[in-house]
Amino acid sequence: MDVTGSTALITGASGGIGAGIATALAARGADVVLVARRADELEALAAGIRARSGRRALVVPLDLSTPDAGARVQEALGGRSVDVLVNNAGFGLSGRLADTPDLSRLGAMVTLNCTTLTDLTARFLPAMLERGSGAVVNIASMAAYLPAPGFAAYAASKAFVLSLTEALWAETRGTGVRVAALSPTVTETGFFDVAGQAAGAGLRRRSVEQVVATFFDTLDADRPVVVDGRRNEVLAATSRLVPRTPFLRVLGPRFADRVSTPAAH
């Protein structure tokens, strides 16, 4: 997909995968709208993008875990159209659900990972369909493919993203609009600073650069889901064949014990 001259909106753009995707889109000729909570980091990223690529970079500092976040993003754009929407913002909480110390934080996670993503898609997709062009890429996760005791609500939220995106892919077939989910695995970002380092202990991590390369594959592929990394593609396909109940009985308690300490941000 040629993004030259397009406008791309990236949520969770202040660091990690979001910042990497925003920088790469600008390098390929897109103007970018950067949305996240941390204004100073967004401004620094925007300045770097403008200096290196000469593209426009609009900063929208906003907490996307609030119920009215989608409307506030749309208002901040002042009627500007969005050609590429990247719903990247999200976070995870580890630990047994019954031991969650801060239920408001749990609610914020579900709002951000599910509600705001859906709201933003519903706001910007209609104009893309009218134009007969555009793309929506929702960042899911390998956690979406199986229930994850000790990480239950986060994995469920990403399963929601995966299911929603697959259905939207079917709804938009033949319209000229690309809708897909990108499922990364453990990546070298600040994610586990929030979720808890135990949740990612012992797992092989991918680089942001690798995920960004897969993002552009996602824009070009006519598939509802693209998984980052060949090994992970196999794991995702295999997960569809795993009987849930035996898996949960045998491995579930081990997962729950490993990430038994909830993390706060």
Side-chain angles (χ1 to χ4, degrees):
M1 177 179 177
D2 184 5
V3 299
T4 305
S6 66
T7 296
L9 189 156
I10 306 96
T11 68
S14 58
I17 293 171
I21 288 173
T23 301
L25 282 167
R28 294 189 180 207
D31 294 330
V32 293
V33 179
L34 311 173
V35 187
R37 288 182 304 124
R38 298 188 290 271
D40 53 345
E41 295 184 21
L42 288 180
E43 291 290 358
L45 176 63
I49 285 173
R50 295 178 193 121
R52 287 190 297 271
S53 67
R55 305 305 304 183
R56 289 182 293 180
L58 173 66
V59 168
V60 182
L62 185 64
D63 182 356
L64 291 168
S65 68
T66 59
D68 63 343
R72 293 170 66 189
V73 170
Q74 194 169 38
E75 182 181 357
L77 264 63
R80 181 185 301 187
S81 65
V82 171
D83 303 295
V84 180
L85 172 62
V86 185
N87 283 309
N88 166 72
F91 71 91
L93 296 175
S94 63
R96 297 174 189 270
L97 188 70
D99 298 330
T100 303
D102 184 353
L103 292 181
S104 65
R105 189 69 175 147
L106 178 65
M109 183 192 74
V110 175
T111 298
L112 176 60
N113 294 5
C114 301
T115 306
T116 300
L117 177 146
T118 305
D119 185 47
L120 286 172
T121 301
R123 288 177 184 277
F124 293 111
L125 181 58
M128 294 182 194
L129 293 172
E130 268 189 39
R131 294 191 301 270
S133 64
V136 177
V137 178
N138 294 327
I139 306 301
S141 168
M142 287 295 293
Y145 293 88
L146 282 172
F151 225 16
Y154 172 75
S157 73
K158 290 302 184 178
F160 172 90
V161 172
L162 193 65
S163 178
L164 174 75
T165 309
E166 288 175 317
L168 290 177
W169 177 82
E171 289 180 2
T172 56
R173 290 276 286 159
T175 64
V177 178
R178 173 90 178 95
V179 178
L182 166 58
S183 292
T185 185
V186 182
T187 309
E188 288 290 355
T189 68
F191 177 86
F192 289 102
D193 295 338
V194 178
Q197 292 296 331
L203 298 176
R204 183 182 303 174
R205 302 193 180 195
R206 299 272 289 175
S207 69
V208 169
E209 291 74 19
Q210 287 173 311
V211 178
V212 170
T214 303
F215 168 80
F216 285 103
D217 292 341
T218 305
L219 286 180
D220 293 333
D222 186 20
R223 301 200 306 274
V225 180
V226 175
V227 177
D228 178 49
R230 290 293 180 85
R231 178 173 176 269
N232 300 314
E233 285 181 351
V234 174
L235 290 173
T238 303
S239 73
R240 307 276 192 180
L241 308 175
V242 174
R244 298 292 179 98
T245 301
F247 167 80
L248 291 170
R249 283 176 177 165
V250 175
L251 295 179
R254 298 181 190 177
F255 288 176
D257 289 342
R258 189 172 72 178
V259 293
S260 60
T261 303
H265 178 55

